[in-house]
Amino acid sequence: MRLKVQGVSFCYRSEDVVDDVSFDADEGQIVGILGPNGSGKTTLLKCLNRVLAPRLGTVFIDSIDNRDRTRKEIARQIGVVPQSANSSFPFTALDMVMMGRNPELDRFEKEKENDIQIVSKAMEMTNTAFLANRSMDQLSGGERQRVIIARALAQRPNIMLLDEPTLHLDVNHQIEILELITRLARDEKMLVIIVTHDLSLAARYCDNIILLRNGRIVSAGDVTQALTRENMAKVFSIDATIYYDERIGTHNVAIIGAIKDG
Ligand code: ADP
């Protein structure tokens, strides 16, 4: 499975907030989309699964233009974990995950044995089976996030899009979610695309990084190519360096300080 994004632009009003974005990504990879607030990360994510229709450009999955796929076909390809809202969910974790099967069911159709099996597998993979009968409102942030990932997995997608999946989570739960994401890429061969503004977590867990500023790609490549001192200064106005951390066996980012404007 291969995702090809070609010259995608999108505007809400007159100005493009995603501006001529192109990149390719393959199954088994974790791609991080990074940039400051308002740089167009969430909008780009929404263009990938056609929640928003790009003004220009094309998104191909396995050489098929998203425009030529039905909603149902796109849902089979792409699962989404939206930015967590603090809304209340007056239903159980099992109900929540079962909603991932909705694109496959006709209106008022009841889930079949096959759907139940897919949902069980998604809950097993995310270690949420034991939460099945608990109300979503009673779960911790990390548990709730795992259930929402399970809901996306229940669509059985090839691509997972996650918008700030670690926001509002304690640091131990952040690591737990990123390790789960790593397993989805490595073991299930999914393409995982995460939006984050956490440079350290991105350096640690992503294979490739796309750095966005004002809707445009400033740099794209593996973590050492993208997260250079120069690029981090340009995009985030910080003095920061990337280094290889022997203790964790991955790259990490040390933020030295903020760069004052002007
Ligand atoms: P990011 O995810 O990097 O914070 P967004 O994609 O959310 O950035 O936003 C990019 C730009 O588009 C911002 O200037 C934001 O104000 C604007 N924007 C986002 N959503 C809407 C909307 N629904 N209507 C109008 N403008 C929007």
Side-chain angles (χ1 to χ4, degrees):
M1 195 282 312
R2 187 176 180 79
L3 173 73
K4 189 170 188 61
V5 178
Q6 216 168 47
V8 165
S9 297
F10 181 86
C11 63
Y12 291 103
R13 295 191 191 92
S14 55
E15 253 175 73
D16 281 343
V17 299
V18 171
D19 188 358
D20 197 19
V21 167
S22 300
F23 67 91
D24 291 357
D26 286 309
E27 63 186 28
Q29 290 183 332
I30 304 177
V31 176
I33 300 178
L34 274 73
N37 284 339
S39 56
K41 305 182 296 294
T42 299
T43 305
L44 173 59
L45 221 54
K46 287 179 177 168
C47 288
L48 299 183
N49 69 338
R50 246 187 131 60
V51 165
L52 296 174
R55 183 177 76 73
L56 287 174
T58 314
V59 177
F60 298 97
I61 301 168
D62 283 337
S63 310
I64 299 175
D65 185 337
N66 261 355
R67 277 178 289 230
D68 297 332
R69 292 183 193 267
T70 61
R71 284 256 141 250
K72 196 180 209 178
E73 284 164 354
I74 292 180
R76 277 186 197 142
Q77 292 293 334
I78 304 183
V80 180
V81 177
Q83 223 175 90
S84 66
N86 283 331
S87 48
S88 74
F89 298 110
F91 29 74
T92 65
L94 178 61
D95 293 338
M96 187 75 177
V97 181
M98 195 56 86
M99 281 176 205
R101 298 304 298 157
N102 284 353
E104 294 293 330
L105 301 172
D106 291 327
R107 219 144 75 95
F108 307 120
E109 190 187 1
K110 254 196 92 52
E111 60 270 9
K112 300 187 230 19
E113 183 55 35
N114 179 46
D115 300 303
I116 294 164
Q117 274 175 17
I118 290 168
V119 163
S120 309
K121 165 115 196 286
M123 296 189 85
E124 208 178 287
M125 279 160 68
T126 49
N127 187 24
T128 52
F130 73 103
L131 302 169
N133 297 320
R134 296 261 302 274
S135 162
M136 285 295 285
D137 289 334
Q138 291 163 11
L139 305 185
S140 73
E143 288 170 340
R144 195 184 296 193
Q145 189 66 304
R146 294 204 319 264
V147 172
I148 294 173
I149 293 173
R151 179 183 65 177
L153 287 176
Q155 289 170 227
R156 301 230 288 175
N158 292 315
I159 303 174
M160 286 282 276
L161 306 180
L162 300 103
D163 196 347
E164 297 279 10
T166 57
L167 206 65
H168 312 306
L169 295 185
D170 291 335
V171 67
N172 59 333
H173 292 137
Q174 293 181 4
I175 300 289
E176 178 184 83
I177 294 296
L178 282 153
E179 303 217 315
L180 165 59
I181 287 170
T182 304
R183 287 199 297 278
L184 297 179
R186 306 291 180 256
D187 302 344
E188 307 295 324
K189 297 285 169 261
M190 287 184 180
L191 164 61
V192 181
I193 301 184
I194 61 172
V195 160
T196 178
H197 63 258
D198 191 319
L199 289 160
S200 289
L201 288 181
R204 249 180 104 158
Y205 289 98
C206 293
D207 301 303
N208 287 310
I209 304 271
I210 294 166
L211 272 185
L212 278 188
R213 188 179 62 167
N214 297 333
R216 294 190 74 92
I217 295 185
V218 172
S219 179
D222 67 30
V223 288
T224 53
Q225 287 164 335
L227 297 179
T228 61
R229 197 166 189 167
E230 191 190 356
N231 286 339
M232 288 191 279
K234 206 190 300 181
V235 173
F236 295 102
S237 301
I238 52 168
D239 184 12
T241 56
I242 186 164
Y243 64 98
Y244 187 78
D245 191 320
E246 301 254 335
R247 289 160 304 181
I248 49 179
T250 66
H251 287 91
N252 209 337
V253 168
I255 299 174
I256 299 156
I259 298 173
K260 303 262 182 328
D261 291 336

